[in-house]
Amino acid sequence: MPRNRTGWFGSDGLHCSGRTIMQLTPLAIALSLGAVLALTGCSEPASEAPASSERVTEQEAEQALSRVSGSLTYRARIALLPDSQVLVELRDAEAADGDGVLAEQRISLDGQQVPVNFALEVDAQTLAQASSYVLRAAIQEGGRTTWASGPVEVDLTGGDAELGEIVLLPHRGSAFSNVFNCGQLQINVGYEDDKLMLNAKGQELVLLPAVSASGAKFELEGDPSTSFWSKGNQGWLTLNGDEYPLCVPPGAVVEPFKATGNEPFWSVELDAGELSLQRMDDKLTRTLPYRNEQESTSRSRIDAGEGEQTITLLVTERLCRDSMSGMPFPQQVSLMVDGETLQGCGGQPERLLQGVEWVVEDINGGGIIDRSRVTLNFFPDGRIAGRASCNNFMGQYALTGESLTVSQAATTMMACAPSLMEQEQRFLETLEAIDGFDFDDTGALLVRSQAGSLKAYPETR
């Protein structure tokens, strides 16, 4: 039988069958407002396996095991504490929360940072106790859960499952049960009585109900320039008068959505409840109603049509680069149609730039002056603004299918030390000659320019 889980990791420790482990506070991961999922766990002590009357070779034993592997990460540029621990559990997907743990792995990080690799091995007899499986993961710091995943579906029909990168979300108290991505900005919202509790950019704000023609709108008391307005599983955030990109649950696919792939070329658009597919070898555009199922906090499944004519899209929230132009996109897409599986990218590239302030740490490979500040902000209305070193600047940016461009920037007219003014000039010349962007493995924004390059990180405060 699957092991029954009744305990949680916690700061005081929890005794389970004579063994003390850490305790997890309840985990709230939302796929829409009000959705709460729990990751619980209390493992039984390992017992010695009874002696077998049959001899099993090492090769046979290995063949009887299924392996579930992947890596855990999160978006924020925040270091984990040295005593951090990881818990990964494979569960019976149909069991109630707290039950059905089939296998687990606990990893003491000892100062290691994300990404963290994991690998679970499960024997066939244990897997036979369930017909479908999900994986859940969490990171605990100082006896408190700080990062956690939602349930990730695991397909073991082929024996093993490589899940790739699983993006963990910040874990808050019970009031903060819903997570949204507003471009690169991740926020938490929840309700306490008639109030909306908003955690954004390190601030915890209490918003009160406000009049709206539709949906549910909340404003900061006495300050309507800070608000959150939700409709269904989407929201619009304004902080101190600055409007942020559309806020959606992690892993969600929101209309209008477009994905494309190359060799052979294909294009899919989702709009008004219909999927439209174009292929180079097909003269007609296929248009069908579609069904949208969010499988986890990092993947959605889109199905259109029936039987052999079914068109399926698997959309995974993971950085993807177009195989021809190199343009980065926020989602990797697999298209299954006519017996083929084709790969491509989808979503809006501008969402990779918007929602956070980028702090420049390098100009043309030469770093920047100590204690100077250079920043970039990409706004949803096409404005780009920030600090150039001495002066503030503002301009317009545009994204095409292959490039990022910036118009000539206007600046304030302050005078500073000659070294700062020289750095500012280099920055502005590089900015105005931008022709593309990318990201490195640390999450840094890499801006390509005909006049040099910029490297920037998202502001963490």
Side-chain angles (χ1 to χ4, degrees):
M1 295 291 293
R3 288 175 287 167
N4 181 41
R5 298 298 177 123
T6 58
W8 288 92
F9 282 131
S11 58
D12 298 332
L14 175 65
H15 292 277
C16 302
S17 304
R19 187 160 61 94
T20 300
I21 62 175
M22 307 300 291
Q23 182 176 350
L24 278 174
T25 56
L27 165 64
I29 297 293
L31 301 181
S32 62
L33 285 173
V36 180
L37 299 172
L39 169 63
T40 62
C42 177
S43 63
E44 298 174 354
S47 59
E48 294 185 2
S52 173
S53 59
E54 299 180 3
R55 300 184 64 182
V56 180
T57 67
E58 182 178 346
Q59 182 178 6
E60 289 172 335
E62 290 179 354
Q63 290 175 346
L65 294 175
S66 291
R67 180 183 174 91
V68 181
S69 58
S71 66
L72 307 176
T73 191
Y74 51 76
R75 284 186 172 185
R77 193 184 175 208
I78 301 173
L80 293 169
L81 296 177
D83 65 347
S84 299
Q85 292 188 333
V86 167
L87 170 66
V88 182
E89 292 181 342
L90 182 69
R91 291 172 169 264
D92 179 352
E94 298 179 2
D97 285 332
D99 297 331
V101 176
L102 304 172
E104 71 172 33
Q105 182 180 19
R106 297 168 189 265
I107 305 170
S108 295
L109 297 184
D110 298 324
Q112 178 186 347
Q113 302 297 318
V114 294
V116 178
N117 296 325
F118 66 87
L120 294 170
E121 290 188 337
V122 197
D123 61 73
Q125 184 176 1
T126 300
L127 290 177
Q129 298 168 13
S131 59
S132 57
Y133 315 96
V134 294
L135 181 135
R136 298 196 189 213
I139 296 178
Q140 177 196 55
E141 299 179 78
R144 184 172 63 90
T145 302
T146 52
W147 301 92
S149 77
V152 178
E153 289 191 1
V154 179
D155 182 2
L156 289 170
T157 54
D160 294 335
E162 167 54 50
L163 303 181
E165 184 179 79
I166 297 173
V167 179
L168 304 181
L169 305 176
H171 171 62
R172 307 291 183 187
S174 58
F176 296 100
S177 57
N178 304 284
V179 178
F180 290 87
N181 289 338
C182 312
Q184 287 279 17
L185 176 66
Q186 195 166 80
I187 66 172
N188 296 73
V189 299
Y191 294 95
E192 286 188 359
D193 299 323
D194 63 342
K195 304 179 183 66
L196 183 137
M197 315 300 291
L198 170 66
N199 187 299
K201 302 184 73 171
Q203 301 181 75
E204 294 188 4
L205 305 173
V206 179
L207 276 58
L208 303 179
V211 177
S212 65
S214 61
K217 187 174 184 179
F218 296 82
E219 294 178 349
L220 189 64
E221 185 175 11
D223 183 8
S225 68
T226 292
S227 66
F228 186 78
W229 187 2
S230 65
K231 292 183 181 180
N233 68 340
Q234 304 177 17
W236 290 263
L237 174 69
T238 303
L239 293 176
N240 301 318
D242 290 331
E243 296 183 356
Y244 284 76
L246 178 67
C247 301
V248 299
V253 173
V254 179
E255 293 184 346
F257 175 84
K258 183 175 182 179
T260 60
N262 304 304
E263 299 178 356
F265 171 81
W266 59 269
S267 172
V268 167
E269 294 188 20
L270 305 178
D271 199 9
E274 291 190 324
L275 179 151
S276 297
L277 169 64
Q278 288 184 314
R279 299 187 64 181
M280 181 172 288
D281 53 358
D282 192 344
K283 295 181 180 180
L284 299 177
T285 299
R286 296 189 232 179
T287 302
L288 296 166
Y290 71 85
R291 306 173 293 281
N292 185 350
E293 177 187 359
Q294 187 163 349
E295 297 184 337
S296 71
T297 55
S298 61
R299 190 170 82 169
S300 290
R301 179 189 178 102
I302 311 295
D303 290 300
E306 301 291 343
E308 295 182 358
Q309 302 302 314
T310 299
I311 300 170
T312 298
L313 281 182
L314 293 180
V315 182
T316 303
E317 192 165 300
R318 188 178 302 159
L319 186 66
C320 182
R321 297 175 179 85
D322 184 86
S323 61
M324 295 187 69
S325 68
M327 173 68 76
F329 288 81
Q331 291 155 318
Q332 295 180 359
V333 181
S334 296
L335 169 66
M336 287 163 276
V337 60
D338 299 334
E340 295 182 275
T341 299
L342 307 173
Q343 304 299 325
C345 300
Q348 300 171 333
E350 54 265 35
R351 288 183 65 84
L352 294 170
L353 299 171
Q354 298 168 354
V356 295
E357 182 168 57
W358 296 94
V359 180
V360 177
E361 296 190 0
D362 183 88
I363 301 173
N364 301 337
I368 65 170
I369 298 171
D370 289 345
R371 293 184 295 278
S372 66
R373 185 170 175 84
V374 182
T375 62
L376 293 163
N377 293 272
F378 296 87
F379 294 100
D381 60 3
R383 288 182 300 122
I384 184 172
R387 187 172 183 85
S389 287
C390 176
N391 289 280
N392 295 328
F393 74 91
M394 180 180 294
Q396 297 287 321
Y397 73 95
L399 279 169
T400 66
E402 299 182 358
S403 65
L404 165 68
T405 59
V406 174
S407 65
Q408 184 173 4
T411 69
T412 54
M413 301 298 290
M414 291 177 56
C416 295
S419 58
L420 274 182
M421 299 305 293
E422 190 275 333
Q423 176 175 278
E424 178 169 293
Q425 185 62 30
R426 285 190 291 114
F427 168 74
L428 292 173
E429 289 175 353
T430 303
L431 184 71
E432 292 170 3
I434 284 176
D435 57 17
F437 71 100
D438 201 351
F439 299 87
D440 68 13
D441 293 339
T442 69
L445 171 64
L446 308 176
V447 176
R448 300 189 306 270
S449 169
Q450 297 176 17
S453 63
L454 303 173
K455 183 176 183 178
Y457 285 95
E459 178 68 82
T460 56
R461 61 176 172 83

